[in-house]
Amino acid sequence: MKFSDDIKYIKGIGESRATAFRSVGVSNVGELLRFYPRAYEDWSKIVPISQCILGENVCIKGVVMFPVKNERVRGGMLIAKATVTDGDSVVAVTFFNNKYIDKMLKSGEEYLFFGKITLGKYSAREMVSPMFMKANQSVDIKPIYPQTKNVTSKMVQSAVQNALNSIENIPEYLPENIIKRYDLVSLDTAIRDIHFPKDDDALQKARDRLIFDELFILQLSLLCLKSENTEITTNNIVKESYTQEFFGLLPFEPTNAQKRAVNEAVSDMQSGKQMNRLLQGDVGSGKTAVAAAIVYTASKNGMQSALMAPTEVLAVQHHETFKKLFENTGIKCELLVGSTKAKDKKEIKERLKKGEIDLIIGTHAIIQEDVEFDRLGLVITDEQHRFGVKQRTGLCSKGENPHVFVMSATPIPRTLALIFFGDLKVSILDELPPGRQKIDTYAVKSAKRGSMFEFIRNHLDMGYQAYIVCPLVEESELMQGIMSAEEYYKKAQAPFNGYKLDLLHGKMTPKKKDEVMMKFKNGETQLLISTVVIEVGVDVPNAVIMVVENAERFGLSQLHQLRGRVGRGKAKSHCILVTDATGDEATARMKIMCETTDGFKIADEDLKLRGPGDFFGTRQHGLPKLRIADILTDTKILMQTQELARELMEDTDSFKKQENRQIARLVSKKINSLQVSNTANTI
Ligand code: ADP
Ligand code: MG
């Protein structure tokens, strides 16, 4: 039997089962063997009843003490009860609506039971509907598969068993030197053991090998994509750089890091090849000026540019900034967002098509509309947490291989950068503009709110502005002392009597939000009480205090983003984290925030503190979906495979070598799936 054989040739699978399997994406033997267990029942580790922990799944071995008692209860339900002892302690075992239990479980005989231990009604320990078998059978670790209505875990288990029995040896595709160097088990062993491991050690080795494969192929594919990207020719060629001229327009001297980033991007655009570049920089490092510099050069060379922001508020802000910067340059810059009037939209689109607009600024959504360009040469995205190869490739369909420049608002831990941005070249702004003072950060208890308000009033009196951010809350939490922005705004009226306050939250219309933001930007509002809508990118240099209420409810990178809203001017800025939480994790987060302002360091700490999958919250992050690896926890293997993938890429003959033929085949398959869909993942 081969991997490519149809599923229906596996023993025990007829036409109807084959259809069921196909419905869960398993249509051949290879796909079945890559359908990994979700968990395992370990029948090999028998736990003494007295040592069972409530709530845990365990295997116990014991004798049924009395004949099983069947009881009918109200509603007609049948309950079968047995008492099982291992000679030391007892456990009550209960089954519902199964009239055969009394025939299957015999008094005086010994069985193995596998299930969750709970606190019973009449006994200290109970197992409800456990799986069981005669104790004299050979015991092992059994796989549990993701179940659907038509495909049960048992069905998968027996199909996998039968498939493995009819395959003599799963061919290895990694060359011997890689297997030796990373001390991997063979693919044959790994696949057999991931389904039916004989012990924990075998399971761990199997997992390590399969995680290795998955991350290795993924990273190698991303690197290939990057080198492919740099090979795409384009007619959008910068003939002359206008960087110096642009720098003259800035009200400040660019930092060396900014100059370097601009030069890197401009030289990409001069090469005759499409640019695919990422700008990573901490909050406040001045990414906008870099973007403006390359827009300037692009438009002086006859190209149109598009700039996409993650929110409307930010699009509006960018529009203001660019309009001011390009005031007397002849570069025409327009805003196209959801709230733009239909008439204006139509006119803007027409002018874009005719090439009368040099820079269009909007949100991601807008660009997906029926916008046409005359000569789109540069696409810039200001991202927050959204990544993904597919999103990026999608953007380019609007022009003839336009240059792509991505700005990341959140520093990414170094170990993850390749996965997130493996298809891009990277520029880093590792220097903040001069004259910035360190933002002092304090964590305070809510009892200190009174003196905090006084501190804020003093600063407002000096002419500065301040933010207070409240978490988004559910109705039910309002009772528990967590305040919504609306409520906070009401309560703040008294302590801030005579000051100009305003409220900003996500439920407002985009137009209203913009109004509020504009007033704050213009200095008409002194204190802005807000939800996290202001999180990313907002730039008001006169704001010097950032208060975060219920700070424990925010993740580290979010707190860092919020703090980044202040400290943007010359004045001393403060960040006050209000929290009464005493838990270890919350305390650790506050401590890190008070100790460092380095976004890259915070990102690393964030990754360490948070559990798998949590790093970017529940937000869709566009990461390729993985079968077995967890990018956030399998860091060691991630680094090994990163190193190996790089080595292979450096040797231009790698893929011509016979020993790497199979790797090359898998990589090209992977690249296709990355470009077609974010979720497809077939190794
Ligand atoms: P971010 O990288 O977070 O997007 P911005 O581009 O919004 O940062 O810049 C933050 C602030 O710093 C802005 O007010 C901007 O005008 C200012 N700024 C940017 N570069 C410099 C510089 N080289 N010198 C002084 N101020 C700068
Ligand atoms: Mg920004």
Side-chain angles (χ1 to χ4, degrees):
M1 196 160 247
K2 303 187 302 293
F3 271 30
S4 56
D5 285 348
D6 194 283
I7 186 107
K8 69 178 176 213
Y9 298 119
I10 295 173
K11 204 175 118 204
I13 295 192
E15 206 33 74
S16 77
R17 282 207 171 181
T19 309
F21 270 110
R22 279 184 208 116
S23 74
V24 295
V26 173
S27 54
N28 64 31
V29 173
E31 282 161 0
L32 176 70
L33 296 181
R34 296 292 191 182
F35 194 82
Y36 301 134
R38 153 180 84 70
Y40 300 84
E41 292 161 15
D42 191 349
W43 293 75
S44 70
K45 240 186 270 144
I46 291 161
V47 181
I49 295 174
S50 63
Q51 284 171 32
C52 289
I53 294 170
L54 288 181
E56 279 189 2
N57 277 311
V58 289
C59 181
I60 59 167
K61 184 174 175 179
V63 174
V64 175
M65 292 173 74
F66 318 104
V68 171
K69 245 185 14 207
N70 276 333
E71 274 174 28
R72 283 254 169 228
V73 291
R74 255 184 301 150
M77 185 161 32
L78 182 71
I79 302 182
K81 286 183 173 167
T83 307
V84 173
T85 179
D86 60 1
D88 177 38
S89 308
V90 293
V91 61
V93 178
T94 316
F95 298 86
F96 297 104
N97 286 334
N98 187 337
K99 57 184 175 190
Y100 303 109
I101 293 292
D102 59 350
K103 313 254 162 8
M104 294 192 282
L105 282 180
K106 301 226 170 64
S107 172
E109 293 197 17
E110 198 176 30
Y111 298 89
L112 293 169
F113 297 88
F114 189 95
K116 191 190 274 182
I117 293 281
T118 53
L119 190 63
K121 255 197 194 139
Y122 308 106
S123 109
R125 292 187 185 86
E126 184 172 344
M127 257 187 182
V128 177
S129 308
M131 285 166 289
F132 60 89
M133 61 166 120
K134 276 271 180 67
N136 55 12
Q137 294 179 44
S138 79
V139 288
D140 47 20
I141 302 177
K142 288 193 175 164
I144 305 173
Y145 295 91
Q147 300 214 55
T148 60
K149 203 166 108 240
N150 297 324
V151 182
T152 64
S153 179
K154 275 250 155 59
M155 266 164 73
V156 182
Q157 191 187 324
S158 79
V160 169
Q161 185 73 72
N162 288 334
L164 285 175
N165 285 345
S166 55
I167 294 178
E168 210 160 290
N169 184 39
I170 298 166
E172 184 55 66
Y173 73 94
L174 283 180
E176 190 59 36
N177 61 353
I178 294 180
I179 302 242
K180 277 229 176 75
R181 174 164 158 198
Y182 294 101
D183 194 20
L184 301 170
V185 295
S186 72
L187 187 61
D188 184 72
T189 306
I191 289 192
R192 286 177 202 278
D193 287 357
I194 200 73
H195 292 286
F196 303 105
K198 70 174 187 307
D199 53 34
D200 282 351
D201 189 46
L203 177 59
Q204 194 52 49
K205 288 206 167 85
R207 282 182 55 84
D208 283 353
R209 162 72 206 245
L210 298 173
I211 291 169
F212 187 95
D213 287 20
E214 185 165 46
L215 292 177
F216 176 54
I217 298 296
L218 174 65
Q219 304 199 66
L220 199 51
S221 308
L222 288 167
L223 287 176
C224 286
L225 211 52
K226 168 149 52 183
S227 69
E228 258 177 38
N229 278 345
T230 56
E231 288 311 310
I232 298 175
T233 53
T234 175
N235 291 327
N236 296 307
I237 299 170
V238 164
K239 300 245 159 56
E240 199 183 328
S241 164
Y242 288 80
T243 309
Q244 282 313 321
E245 195 177 300
F246 171 79
F247 287 156
L249 300 175
L250 286 173
F252 44 73
E253 176 69 16
T255 63
N256 286 326
Q258 283 170 318
K259 286 185 203 158
R260 183 168 12 100
V262 173
N263 287 338
E264 285 165 349
V266 169
S267 86
D268 285 355
M269 295 196 293
Q270 287 173 321
S271 68
K273 304 273 162 60
Q274 189 188 28
M275 163 167 74
N276 272 283
R277 186 169 284 281
L278 166 76
L279 181 64
Q280 268 233 72
D282 207 346
V283 278
S285 57
K287 293 184 282 288
T288 318
V290 175
I294 63 172
V295 168
Y296 190 82
T297 284
S299 101
K300 288 283 170 187
N301 282 275
M303 300 172 210
Q304 288 177 295
S305 305
L307 170 62
M308 258 139 338
T311 64
E312 201 160 322
V313 170
L314 284 179
V316 171
Q317 178 183 291
H318 277 319
H319 182 237
E320 296 293 317
T321 312
F322 281 83
K323 230 171 52 190
K324 212 182 311 146
L325 262 176
F326 294 152
E327 210 159 16
N328 299 311
T329 61
I331 294 177
K332 290 201 201 62
C333 164
E334 291 292 344
L335 178 71
L336 189 58
V337 289
S339 59
T340 308
K341 285 197 211 86
K343 189 172 136 271
D344 295 344
K345 262 190 198 166
K346 195 162 158 255
E347 192 214 305
I348 290 174
K349 284 182 192 170
E350 272 162 23
R351 287 171 55 216
L352 262 179
K353 199 173 165 186
K354 282 194 241 156
E356 290 168 12
I357 294 172
D358 301 294
L359 169 63
I360 187 76
I361 298 176
T363 56
H364 292 104
I366 281 300
I367 272 322
Q368 283 151 16
E369 278 188 31
D370 55 340
V371 184
E372 287 174 72
F373 293 85
D374 176 41
R375 194 184 163 196
L376 178 63
L378 172 63
V379 175
I380 300 181
T381 50
D382 194 0
E383 307 202 21
Q384 34 183 348
H385 300 286
R386 228 176 310 157
F387 314 101
V389 179
K390 192 197 158 207
Q391 279 117 322
R392 288 197 285 271
T393 36
L395 294 172
C396 303
S397 58
K398 298 271 176 192
E400 306 241 321
N401 296 336
H403 299 294
V404 176
F405 193 72
V406 182
M407 301 194 285
S408 156
T410 320
I412 308 285
R414 273 165 256 271
T415 45
L416 299 188
L418 185 69
I419 298 282
F420 282 110
F421 300 116
D423 58 327
L424 302 175
K425 290 185 181 171
V426 183
S427 295
I428 293 182
L429 295 185
D430 50 6
E431 183 184 356
L432 290 181
R436 293 274 169 81
Q437 296 193 37
K438 193 180 151 284
I439 304 166
D440 283 343
T441 306
Y442 339 83
V444 303
K445 296 242 182 302
S446 62
K448 292 266 184 206
R449 213 176 264 134
S451 44
M452 178 178 89
F453 284 165
E454 194 181 334
F455 182 79
I456 298 174
R457 283 194 299 266
N458 288 339
H459 280 80
L460 302 186
D461 289 341
M462 290 188 268
Y464 294 118
Q465 290 163 285
Y467 300 97
I468 298 180
V469 173
C470 302
L472 271 181
V473 295
E474 308 275 329
E475 294 287 332
S476 60
E477 293 169 328
L478 294 173
M479 322 282 239
Q480 297 157 17
I482 296 177
M483 265 189 269
S484 70
E486 285 104 319
E487 201 189 334
Y488 202 99
Y489 177 69
K490 273 185 222 143
K491 293 215 167 129
Q493 297 301 324
F496 290 98
N497 187 12
Y499 292 87
K500 285 179 234 121
L501 272 60
D502 211 345
L503 173 66
L504 181 70
H505 60 73
K507 283 184 231 132
M508 291 173 165
T509 63
K511 192 160 161 273
K512 179 78 188 150
K513 275 191 237 168
D514 292 343
E515 266 173 43
V516 173
M517 253 349 276
M518 277 306 136
K519 273 200 193 150
F520 189 69
K521 254 194 118 146
N522 301 336
E524 285 171 56
T525 310
Q526 293 173 286
L527 174 62
L528 185 63
I529 294 165
S530 165
T531 56
V532 283
V533 285
I534 58 143
E535 184 186 337
V536 176
V538 171
D539 186 37
V540 183
N542 192 46
V544 296
I545 299 176
M546 166 59 69
V547 174
V548 184
E549 288 280 350
N550 292 107
E552 75 283 354
R553 299 176 62 111
F554 295 87
L556 269 176
S557 32
Q558 221 176 3
L559 288 174
H560 180 62
Q561 277 294 335
L562 287 170
R563 177 168 60 186
R565 298 309 109 217
V566 297
R568 306 193 138 234
K570 293 236 152 50
K572 178 89 197 158
S573 291
H574 308 267
C575 174
I576 306 174
L577 307 170
V578 184
T579 179
D580 291 326
T582 50
D584 287 349
E585 224 218 275
T587 314
R589 263 182 278 151
M590 299 310 133
K591 186 159 173 273
I592 294 163
M593 284 300 294
C594 295
E595 278 170 5
T596 179
T597 50
D598 178 342
F600 286 98
K601 204 166 156 201
I602 288 174
D604 278 336
E605 295 293 337
D606 200 13
L607 181 58
K608 272 187 231 152
L609 277 179
R610 296 224 209 171
D614 235 16
F615 184 61
F616 289 103
T618 49
R619 266 185 272 214
Q620 193 234 332
H621 45 46
L623 275 176
K625 204 168 160 211
L626 297 169
R627 263 179 210 284
I628 187 161
D630 185 327
I631 291 172
L632 305 175
T633 50
D634 297 322
T635 3
K636 188 174 156 225
I637 302 180
L638 186 70
M639 277 152 79
Q640 288 177 339
T641 50
Q642 215 158 77
E643 164 197 70
L644 182 62
R646 285 217 169 95
E647 274 175 33
L648 246 74
M649 287 301 290
E650 268 160 28
D651 175 4
T652 44
D653 291 331
S654 285
F655 290 120
K656 295 196 195 108
K657 288 185 189 147
Q658 181 63 27
E659 60 184 30
N660 294 332
R661 279 259 307 277
Q662 292 298 329
I663 295 178
R665 190 180 57 81
L666 290 172
V667 165
S668 81
K669 218 170 122 188
K670 181 86 212 166
I671 289 178
N672 282 332
S673 80
L674 279 174
Q675 286 174 328
V676 173
S677 146
N678 268 328
T679 48
N681 186 65
T682 39
I683 289 190

